[in-house]
Amino acid sequence: MRSSDDTPFLLLLLLFFFTFIAPFSSSQPQHHSHFIKHTLPHNSNPPHPYIEITRPLTFTNLTTPSCSLPLFTYNFGNTYGLPPVSVPYSPPFNCSWTHVVLQFNASCKGEQYDRIAAVWLDGAELLRTSTAEPTDDGIYWTVTKDITKYTSILVKENITLSVMLENLVNDIFTGIYHVNVTFLYYDVKNVTGIKLDNYVDNGISMGVSKLGSSLGSDDRPADLVLPISANGDNGLWFRIESELELFGQGVVIPRNTIKAVMEIYVSFHGNDEFWYSNPPDSYIQMNNLTTKRGHGAYREVLLKIDDYLVGSLVPFPVVFTGGINPLFWEPVVSIGAFDLPSYDIDLTPFLGLLLDDKAHFLSLGVADSVPFWLVDGNLHLWIDNSALPCQVHAKVLDYGTPMFNIERSSSFQGLDGSCEIDMRRKSKVSGWVNSTSGNLTTIVSRELKFKNKIKFYLNGTEKRVKQNVREKTVVSVLSDTGITISQTTMKKIYPLSMTTRNLPSSENDTILMLTDLVHEWRAKKSIGGLSISLINRQKCSGGMVVQDHDVLFGGATTQQTYSYRDEVGCYSRIILATNATLINDTASSLCAASL
Ligand SMILES: *[C@@H]1O[C@H](CO)[C@@H](O)[C@H](O)[C@H]1NC(C)=O
Ligand SMILES: *[C@@H]1O[C@H](CO)[C@@H](O)[C@H](O)[C@H]1NC(C)=O
Ligand SMILES: *[C@@H]1O[C@H](CO)[C@@H](O)[C@H](O)[C@H]1NC(C)=O
Ligand SMILES: *[C@@H]1O[C@H](CO)[C@@H](O)[C@H](O)[C@H]1NC(C)=O
Ligand SMILES: *[C@@H]1O[C@H](CO)[C@@H](O)[C@H](O)[C@H]1NC(C)=O
Ligand SMILES: *[C@@H]1O[C@H](CO)[C@@H](O)[C@H](O)[C@H]1NC(C)=O
Ligand SMILES: *[C@@H]1O[C@H](CO)[C@@H](O)[C@H](O)[C@H]1NC(C)=O
Ligand SMILES: *[C@@H]1O[C@H](CO)[C@@H](O)[C@H](O)[C@H]1NC(C)=O
Ligand SMILES: *[C@@H]1O[C@H](CO)[C@@H](O)[C@H](O)[C@H]1NC(C)=O
Ligand SMILES: *[C@@H]1O[C@H](CO)[C@@H](O)[C@H](O)[C@H]1NC(C)=O
Ligand SMILES: *[C@@H]1O[C@H](CO)[C@@H](O)[C@H](O)[C@H]1NC(C)=O
Ligand SMILES: *[C@@H]1O[C@H](CO)[C@@H](O)[C@H](O)[C@H]1NC(C)=O
């Protein structure tokens, strides 16, 4: 992901290359991993479609939209530094709907870096997305996302839809991103074949609806969604430039709120785009390197209410389409690149702190971060509409004694060596809420484990990264008499392993880079005896000749397996793409015995 923010860095790098290091540039360790495809003029072929592998939404298959609302059309040319583009929104007139799908269509032609983008409605983020890098033939793609969980905003009249996509266009970077946003409204009340409770949002799917959610399959959309976002011209996301910054907003929540879940959107850029491969500062200093991609490889997004740390997450390492090896990501983009995951933190045990008619400051920060992160959130609230406001009472029973432990070790000799980080966080919080549903106690137990190892070989020209993130959250709801009414267990695992080798070339200051990557999103959610699971895995391998940030030529292969299973059925898809061509694409709804 490049923005003009990187320009000083790029100049520095060029200076570095041309003035001092040119003779040994090829033996420098690989500290920038973001590239642009150098597109060779083709015989004008038709534009190519790009895809992120997901599963189809059940309800879009079974019925046609009752209304379609084309909302937004814009050509993002030289938009760097400009505020988001806004259009008015009101729900479609005289249309019966229960579900809404956001469709983001984009196309681009020429030479351009990948860019980050987002869509907000009335200040609440609905979609975080990134663009594919175009070719001279042109490319196009569609992102489809179930946004039914934002129903309380979608019914509002005369609000604003905003889209931000900062792009730079000049003689070299010619690609303009053409974007359309359309909302499709579905009425699935009377459609047979869908269990109404079931399709809202099972919180696990990758892409087509949100992932990693604790908004359960049996939940109706929240009654109120309060954005925790910025209101400046620099976008509605908070731009976090250092580990010391906390950004947020004061909120007053209704006195009859009975459930609260904070949803967090996050993406990482600049010197932290590849945070999971950043070496410690000691390595950079010891070797007199100029890279700012440092500060080690541990990052954690922290959520606070006033001064209490109430939750955290380690994000899935989404790779943008210019990342690691851009040839990996054509025409199948990286897991999450078109529909970045958002993360949910159940705040119901903390309602005792919030139900006092006073403003509380909800804020977000990123531990150990270097510039820069784009973060914001939506507070989803469920309200007891049959209670008078003063009839709902809540109390925090246990703030927990959060256990946090981090161990770092490193051993370097010159440009070779290794470093390792082990982090573990454990917490258990509980609180009760008395409403017309009874006096219910919610207990949220969470365990987060993070492990990262980086090794450098061959005078720093070979780098191997191995990372794993494991998170287990159990939400139990107990009745007044101590009987467990519901228990939801959510497990998420994000393994990543990456190798990059730089082979010097005496000619033209080019480097041959050999790259391998395996990464995976695994999630499993169990509610009572039912379970939903997803394994989404990509294995990529390739070689490319690069000159500075330009990929001159190369080849790559990407294999992807996607397998989803819930109580109703299965969906699996197997993909093989080589040298920008989809060789194999097999989808099946059969349940294989293995998953
Ligand atoms: C290792 O790389 C450094 C910096 O590029 C260079 O000065 C040094 O000569 C290299 N050492 C060997 C053994 O190749
Ligand atoms: C959607 O419809 C297609 C064709 O009618 C069918 O092959 C596919 O299995 C359906 N997908 C789902 C998830 O129902
Ligand atoms: C609303 O839609 C219904 C059914 O399509 C139609 O009969 C009715 O005339 C519409 N009402 C208005 C005010 O347009
Ligand atoms: C956007 O919509 C317009 C009008 O329907 C259409 O001409 C254009 O091709 C669309 N662009 C994309 C990127 O889908
Ligand atoms: C929205 O704007 C229209 C036109 O200005 C107006 O008639 C309508 O009352 C407004 N609705 C709300 C809820 O403010
Ligand atoms: C859906 O079903 C309800 C009750 O069975 C009925 O009143 C309503 O008219 C139906 N709606 C449509 C769009 O068929
Ligand atoms: C780094 O710079 C210092 C001061 O210029 C020098 O003494 C040292 O040898 C350099 N180290 C390496 C590994 O080049
Ligand atoms: C608990 O909530 C119910 C329903 O709102 C209310 O009638 C009852 O008085 C509450 N109990 C206490 C002790 O506040
Ligand atoms: C709700 O239940 C908790 C735990 O059993 C108890 O401590 C509390 O007093 C109850 N609250 C009300 C309003 O009854
Ligand atoms: C090096 O550059 C020259 C002139 O631009 C070109 O003719 C030659 O093919 C290049 N060599 C490689 C290996 O790219
Ligand atoms: C892909 O491209 C590379 C580099 O041009 C080439 O070596 C390789 O054979 C190609 N693979 C296939 C399957 O075409
Ligand atoms: C494509 O996938 C099918 C089903 O998994 C498999 O039988 C076939 O061998 C694959 N083809 C290639 C070229 O990999």
Side-chain angles (χ1 to χ4, degrees):
M1 189 74 39
R2 293 192 60 82
S3 58
S4 65
D5 260 23
D6 297 10
T7 313
F9 171 66
L10 184 67
L11 286 177
L12 212 95
L13 196 85
L14 286 173
L15 214 72
F16 187 71
F17 262 72
F18 293 131
T19 349
F20 314 105
I21 299 293
F24 344 94
S25 66
S26 51
S27 60
Q28 272 293 300
Q30 197 262 308
H31 288 298
H32 59 264
S33 323
H34 209 114
F35 303 97
I36 188 164
K37 288 180 292 191
H38 183 75
T39 60
L40 296 169
H42 295 131
N43 316 319
S44 54
N45 293 318
H48 300 287
Y50 274 47
I51 45 168
E52 179 182 340
I53 303 306
T54 57
R55 71 193 170 91
L57 285 169
T58 344
F59 64 87
T60 59
N61 222 23
L62 294 172
T63 181
T64 52
S66 36
C67 305
S68 164
L69 197 59
L71 282 165
F72 180 92
T73 295
Y74 197 80
N75 300 326
F76 289 93
N78 217 357
T79 48
Y80 188 80
L82 297 180
V85 180
S86 293
V87 294
Y89 169 89
S90 285
F93 174 67
N94 196 22
C95 177
S96 170
W97 56 271
T98 55
H99 287 71
V100 186
V101 168
L102 182 156
Q103 214 169 283
F104 181 98
N105 291 299
S107 67
C108 191
K109 191 171 166 32
E111 205 154 318
Q112 192 51 267
Y113 278 106
D114 55 303
R115 305 289 178 188
I116 191 74
V119 179
W120 294 268
L121 185 62
D122 203 24
E125 185 160 351
L126 307 182
L127 172 73
R128 181 75 58 97
T129 185
S130 70
T131 67
E133 290 192 347
T135 63
D136 271 2
D137 289 337
I139 63 165
Y140 64 94
W141 69 95
T142 298
V143 190
T144 303
K145 181 174 180 179
D146 181 357
I147 53 167
T148 307
K149 66 178 165 175
Y150 305 106
T151 293
S152 65
I153 302 175
L154 290 161
V155 296
K156 287 199 205 173
E157 279 180 29
N158 304 339
I159 53 174
T160 300
L161 180 96
S162 308
V163 182
M164 178 118 164
L165 190 164
E166 283 186 296
N167 193 18
L168 273 180
V169 173
N170 55 30
D171 290 348
I172 301 160
F173 306 125
T174 53
I176 292 171
Y177 288 104
H178 306 282
V179 172
N180 287 349
V181 177
T182 305
F183 286 2
L184 303 172
Y185 297 79
Y186 290 84
D187 192 359
V188 288
K189 279 194 293 284
N190 295 1
V191 176
T192 51
I194 300 177
K195 210 172 123 226
L196 203 91
D197 280 348
N198 233 330
Y199 58 97
V200 168
D201 203 330
N202 58 38
I204 207 164
S205 59
M206 186 88 212
V208 289
S209 83
K210 79 207 175 78
L211 356 83
S213 160
S214 62
L215 310 180
S217 61
D218 40 13
D219 274 330
R220 58 193 165 90
D223 299 296
L224 186 62
V225 176
L226 299 177
I228 308 295
S229 59
N231 44 20
D233 285 346
N234 299 322
L236 284 84
W237 41 39
F238 298 116
R239 192 181 168 104
I240 295 183
E241 301 269 358
S242 102
E243 56 193 320
L244 303 173
E245 290 176 340
L246 270 180
F247 286 102
Q249 218 165 276
V251 291
V252 180
I253 73 166
R255 276 293 275 113
N256 48 349
T257 301
I258 53 169
K259 176 175 171 169
V261 174
M262 177 75 165
E263 177 191 27
I264 298 170
Y265 280 94
V266 52
S267 55
F268 19 91
H269 308 277
N271 295 322
D272 249 353
E273 180 175 346
F274 306 97
W275 55 271
Y276 44 88
S277 72
N278 282 14
D281 293 340
S282 60
Y283 176 83
I284 294 169
Q285 281 152 16
M286 189 174 81
N287 290 295
N288 295 343
L289 303 176
T290 54
T291 182
K292 293 195 168 68
R293 294 182 185 272
H295 223 40
Y298 152 74
R299 301 288 182 275
E300 194 178 8
V301 179
L302 305 174
L303 171 66
K304 285 186 167 188
I305 299 179
D306 304 326
D307 288 331
Y308 296 102
L309 177 67
V310 293
S312 73
L313 65 98
V314 174
F316 177 78
V318 175
V319 183
F320 302 120
T321 56
I324 303 173
N325 180 340
L327 306 177
F328 287 169
W329 317 123
E330 42 179 27
V332 176
V333 301
S334 171
I335 297 171
F338 283 164
D339 185 0
L340 276 85
S342 64
Y343 304 84
D344 289 346
I345 295 175
D346 195 323
L347 296 179
T348 309
F350 296 103
L351 280 177
L353 189 68
L354 296 170
L355 294 184
D356 58 1
D357 290 322
K358 296 199 178 88
H360 291 274
F361 198 68
L362 265 71
S363 59
L364 294 160
V366 185
D368 277 24
S369 63
V370 297
F372 62 93
W373 289 58
L374 298 173
V375 181
D376 62 25
N378 297 317
L379 183 60
H380 294 250
L381 301 172
W382 285 260
I383 288 165
D384 184 351
N385 285 312
S386 35
L388 295 170
C390 57
Q391 278 182 321
V392 175
H393 293 277
K395 190 162 189 256
V396 183
L397 286 173
D398 187 358
Y399 284 95
T401 29
M403 190 284 282
F404 174 74
N405 185 49
I406 185 161
E407 280 166 35
R408 302 169 197 253
S409 62
S410 64
S411 153
F412 293 113
Q413 267 194 316
L415 290 162
D416 289 345
S418 69
C419 54
E420 197 168 344
I421 303 173
D422 259 289
M423 186 276 282
R424 210 170 142 223
R425 191 186 281 283
K426 217 175 159 176
S427 65
K428 187 172 177 179
V429 294
S430 61
W432 57 260
V433 181
N434 180 51
S435 70
T436 56
S437 318
N439 179 13
L440 304 180
T441 299
T442 303
I443 305 167
V444 179
S445 314
R446 194 164 157 265
E447 187 165 10
L448 177 62
K449 289 181 191 166
F450 168 85
K451 210 182 181 58
N452 178 289
K453 193 165 194 168
I454 302 172
K455 291 183 182 176
F456 291 101
Y457 300 93
L458 303 171
N459 202 24
T461 58
E462 179 172 329
K463 184 179 191 175
R464 293 190 198 164
V465 178
K466 249 190 180 352
Q467 178 169 290
N468 203 0
V469 181
R470 290 171 166 268
E471 192 198 81
K472 182 180 174 187
T473 308
V474 182
V475 179
S476 310
V477 180
L478 310 181
S479 76
D480 215 355
T481 53
I483 293 165
T484 303
I485 294 172
S486 75
Q487 187 166 67
T488 307
T489 304
M490 182 80 181
K491 284 185 195 165
K492 292 196 254 174
I493 306 176
Y494 321 139
L496 173 140
S497 114
M498 177 173 101
T499 304
T500 314
R501 267 181 294 162
N502 293 356
L503 305 178
S505 157
S506 48
E507 258 189 291
N508 297 2
D509 207 14
T510 58
I511 306 172
L512 170 63
M513 290 182 64
L514 302 177
T515 47
D516 291 287
L517 171 75
V518 183
H519 65 166
E520 213 171 316
W521 171 283
R522 281 173 176 256
K524 184 169 184 174
K525 183 172 180 172
S526 317
I527 312 158
L530 302 173
S531 77
I532 306 163
S533 63
L534 173 68
I535 300 175
N536 191 1
R537 181 175 196 263
Q538 281 178 323
K539 185 171 185 288
C540 316
S541 167
M544 56 180 178
V545 173
V546 305
Q547 192 170 37
D548 188 24
H549 286 278
D550 284 341
V551 177
L552 303 183
F553 54 90
T557 294
T558 295
Q559 288 168 273
Q560 184 165 6
T561 47
Y562 181 103
S563 38
Y564 173 86
R565 166 183 286 225
D566 63 20
E567 60 268 41
V568 181
C570 301
Y571 178 79
S572 65
R573 195 156 168 187
I574 298 171
I575 291 273
L576 175 64
T578 299
N579 295 350
T581 305
L582 210 50
I583 305 285
N584 211 351
D585 180 356
T586 320
S588 161
S589 309
L590 297 175
C591 292
S594 59
L595 190 70

